[in-house]
Every structure is written in C-alpha cells, then in structure tokens.
Amino acid sequence: QVQLVESGGGLVQAGGSLRLSCAASGRTVSNKYMGWFRQAPGKEREFVAAISWSGGRTYYADSVKGRFTVSRDNAKNTVYLQMNSLRPEDTAVYYCAATISNIYLVRSEYENWGRGTQVTVSS
C-alpha cells in the first residue's frame, strides 16, 4: 500500500503560479508512474500529467502542456506539479496518484490516490 498526501493548493489570480507537492510513503518501490489528475465541479476526473518514477519521463495533457511541469525527488519520495500561467479553467481539486502499471493515462490504472488539494484561479 502507498499513502499519498498532496499539499500546495490555494487561491491565485489568473496568470499566477502554484506548486503542488505529493509526498509518498509505504511501498513506493513498486510504483512505475506517478500521476496528477484534476476534477472540476460537475466534471469527470481528468489526466493532467505523469512522470515515470525511475527514468523521469514526463507526459502532459494538451490543456496544460507548456504551462505545467511535473518533476520528482526520489530521495524525498515526493512528486511536484509546477503550475504557471494559471487560468480560471484550471480551477479544480488536484489529486496525486500512483500506479504499478505502464498505462499512465488511464485513471482506473492507478491503485493509490491522495485526498486532493483545491486549486482556485480567479479571473
């Protein structure tokens, strides 16, 4: 079992930046990918970004490409999501997730989830 705790959410004006953190504990050695997802009110939870735990390969949704950066610190068992040029449509609860699968895009492939952190972008 892997425990995930997100932090760093908050209220920011459009154009601003936030950095989310996801601290992992437990059986982290089995993880292949760490992902970030988000869920806005009334919408499905959607993929935002993912990073491979070993090689550091990164993947992004088209909606955030060029604005968000996912990174990891293996020594700290922590994954980060740097969010720049934030837009009101980025407002959502952001979730960190871990998977032992290679299918990093699919929500159902992730076995472990954090409780989420709220990001609100005002216009």
Side-chain angles (χ1 to χ4, degrees):
Q1 190 75 4
V2 177
Q3 292 77 43
L4 304 171
V5 179
E6 304 96 336
S7 61
L11 173 64
V12 64
Q13 288 188 329
S17 298
L18 282 174
R19 188 176 82 153
L20 306 183
S21 299
C22 173
S25 60
R27 299 184 62 180
T28 59
V29 66
S30 299
N31 295 335
K32 286 190 177 178
Y33 284 91
M34 299 293 291
W36 286 98
F37 289 75
R38 67 186 181 186
Q39 188 166 16
K43 294 189 176 181
E44 294 286 321
R45 192 172 299 188
E46 64 176 3
F47 171 79
V48 175
I51 186 166
S52 65
W53 197 247
S54 59
R57 295 180 299 277
T58 57
Y59 308 90
Y60 299 94
D62 288 343
S63 58
V64 307
K65 205 171 291 183
R67 300 187 298 123
F68 290 12
T69 303
V70 60
S71 61
R72 81 207 191 288
D73 184 334
N74 288 16
K76 295 182 178 180
N77 279 343
T78 300
V79 175
Y80 305 96
L81 185 68
Q82 177 67 43
M83 306 186 295
N84 299 329
S85 302
L86 282 162
R87 305 166 180 168
E89 53 264 39
D90 294 317
T91 295
V93 177
Y94 283 71
Y95 297 89
C96 172
T99 181
I100 61 173
S101 166
N102 286 318
I103 309 173
Y104 54 84
L105 274 175
V106 179
R107 183 182 66 192
S108 60
E109 290 290 321
Y110 286 80
E111 301 89 4
N112 296 287
W113 292 83
R115 301 185 69 173
T117 185
Q118 176 71 46
V119 171
T120 303
V121 184
S122 64
S123 56

